[in-house]
């Protein structure tokens, strides 16, 4: 409780650090905040061309929304994944990139990771706002009904990514190889998550293979991926425009709770040593 009170007393510092992250990221650029939109839009164009036109990947219309647009379907998974990747990367490097500040004065080092996640969350909210406008144009006002639930899942994914960022920030101080390893892992994780292909392809492949050992199938192992659960929930809410499955909701809640608790515990245990190791 003392630690949380200390964090609460540093809320103004957290706000200023977050503001610095947001404004400093695109400082002295002509397009400014628009750069946060260009990256997912460029990825969307490439993936749409490759997977929709060349490979003719068709996830089908949303059920029950009836929306049938691959680029919208793609953005519903691509934006959450790119947020997760950005939040983990920025949180992992938050302590090391602010080493001069950490060495000079004492303050809760957690605020550095929290501000990085909050800045990534701000950029993500702008991108999701654009996506909602596109959904209103393509699919009508139905998406507005589910916006409160979308915001809830956005908060859960932010908590989940922050918890992972706290753990990796500590590991990255001890071992600088971590940032390179995580960079590779995040690239692989994208293709191990249903970002550019529908989940039904994995189900079909799993059925063809049969059980791997006992009654466990490839699909069962695939669904252990936390990012897959979040992407499935966002697609259901935004593209299908219905509530996500109960098991997806429970898994998302569980992953967010477990990772933030573990992240805070690991970070708290190592916080006093960080300045000595930088």
């Amino acid at each position: 409780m003392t630690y949380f009170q200390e964090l609460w007393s540093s809320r103004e510092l957290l706000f200023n650090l977050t503001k610095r992250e947001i404004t400093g990221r695109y400082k002295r650029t002509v397009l400014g905040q628009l750069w946060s939109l260009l990256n997912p839009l460029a990825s969307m164009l490439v993936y749409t061309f490759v997977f929709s036109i060349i490979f003719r990947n068709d996830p089908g219309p949303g059920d029950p929304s009836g929306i049938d647009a691959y680029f919208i379907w793609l953005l519903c998974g691509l934006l959450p994944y790119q947020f997760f990747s950005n939040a983990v990367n920025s949180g992992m490097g938050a302590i090391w990139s602010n080493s001069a500040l950490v060495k000079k004065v004492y303050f809760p080092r957690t605020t550095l990771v929290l501000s990085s996640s909050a800045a990534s969350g701000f950029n993500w909210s702008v991108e999701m706002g654009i996506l909602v406008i596109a959904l209103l144009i393509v699919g009508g006002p139905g998406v507005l009904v589910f916006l409160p639930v979308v915001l809830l899942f956005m908060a859960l994914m932010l908590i989940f990514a922050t918890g992972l960022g706290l753990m990796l920030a500590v590991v990255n101080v001890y071992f600088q190889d971590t940032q390179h390893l995580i960079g590779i892992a995040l690239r692989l994780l994208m293709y191990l998550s249903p970002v550019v292909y529908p989940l039904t392809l994995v189900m079909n492949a799993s059925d063809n293979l049969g059980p791997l050992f006992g009654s466990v199938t490839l699909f069962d192992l695939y669904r252990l991926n936390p990012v897959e659960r979040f992407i499935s929930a966002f697609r259901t809410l935004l593209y299908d425009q219905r509530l996500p499955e109960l098991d997806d909701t429970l898994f998302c809640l569980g992953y967010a709770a477990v990772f933030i608790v573990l992240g805070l515990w690991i970070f708290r245990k190592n916080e006093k040593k960080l300045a000595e190791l930088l």
Side-chain angles (χ1 to χ4, degrees):
M1 289 303 297
T2 303
Y3 186 66
F4 284 111
Q5 289 171 0
E6 189 177 351
L7 278 178
W8 176 250
S9 65
S10 303
R11 60 189 181 278
E12 186 175 349
L13 173 63
L14 175 60
F15 174 81
N16 290 328
L17 288 172
T18 303
K19 183 179 178 182
R20 186 194 67 173
E21 288 283 334
I22 294 171
T23 57
R25 189 168 298 180
Y26 304 106
K27 189 178 182 180
R28 296 183 181 178
T29 60
V30 176
L31 297 180
Q33 194 67 38
L34 287 176
W35 281 112
S36 68
L37 296 173
L38 290 180
N39 186 33
L41 288 177
S43 300
M44 180 205 71
L45 291 174
V46 172
Y47 292 138
T48 299
F49 175 74
V50 173
F51 290 97
S52 179
I53 297 177
I54 296 179
F55 288 102
R56 298 188 178 278
N57 186 6
D58 183 15
D63 178 25
S65 70
I67 299 173
D68 193 5
Y70 181 80
F71 76 97
I72 293 290
W73 179 89
L74 179 61
L75 283 176
C76 290
L78 185 62
L79 293 184
Y81 183 81
Q82 289 201 337
F83 156 73
F84 169 76
S85 179
N86 292 336
V88 170
N89 272 318
S90 60
M92 176 177 56
I95 302 299
W96 192 264
S97 60
N98 291 280
S99 57
L101 183 61
V102 172
K103 291 177 183 178
K104 285 181 180 178
V105 293
Y106 173 77
F107 61 94
R109 276 51 167 153
T110 317
T111 54
L112 293 172
V113 181
L114 294 179
S115 64
S116 296
S117 294
S120 297
F122 174 82
N123 292 330
W124 185 31
S125 65
V126 174
E127 296 164 2
M128 292 291 277
I130 301 298
L131 175 58
V132 169
I133 294 173
L135 282 164
L136 289 173
I137 295 172
V138 173
V143 67
L144 296 177
V145 177
F146 298 97
L147 271 185
V149 189
V150 171
L151 293 174
L152 171 62
F153 275 87
M154 287 178 70
L156 289 175
M157 195 170 197
L158 177 63
I159 294 169
F160 165 64
T162 302
L164 185 56
L166 285 166
M167 287 185 268
L168 292 175
V170 173
V171 179
N172 191 47
V173 172
Y174 283 95
F175 307 102
Q176 276 289 286
D177 292 341
T178 304
Q179 57 187 329
H180 305 294
L181 179 62
I182 295 301
I184 295 172
L186 287 172
R187 284 193 291 272
L188 294 175
L189 184 62
M190 177 177 170
Y191 292 100
L192 291 173
S193 305
V195 177
V196 296
Y197 56 84
L199 197 59
T200 51
L201 290 181
V202 184
M203 295 174 63
N204 293 337
S206 178
D207 291 340
N208 292 333
L209 284 174
L212 298 179
F213 47 89
S215 59
V216 178
T217 64
L218 173 67
F219 189 65
D220 295 329
L221 296 177
Y222 184 86
R223 299 223 76 191
L224 293 176
N225 175 6
V227 178
E228 183 275 322
R229 296 286 183 169
F230 280 101
I231 289 175
S232 295
F234 279 112
R235 280 239 172 86
T236 303
L237 286 165
L238 295 168
Y239 193 74
D240 294 330
Q241 295 182 7
R242 56 185 170 86
L243 291 174
E245 300 296 330
L246 179 60
D247 61 334
D248 286 341
T249 303
L250 293 176
F251 267 98
C252 289
L253 284 167
Y255 282 128
V258 170
F259 273 78
I260 194 63
V261 169
L262 275 177
L264 286 171
W265 180 76
I266 291 172
F267 196 92
R268 178 62 172 162
K269 294 286 285 185
N270 293 272
E271 187 173 10
K272 295 180 180 179
K273 306 174 188 176
L274 297 179
E276 302 171 3
L277 295 168
L278 292 173

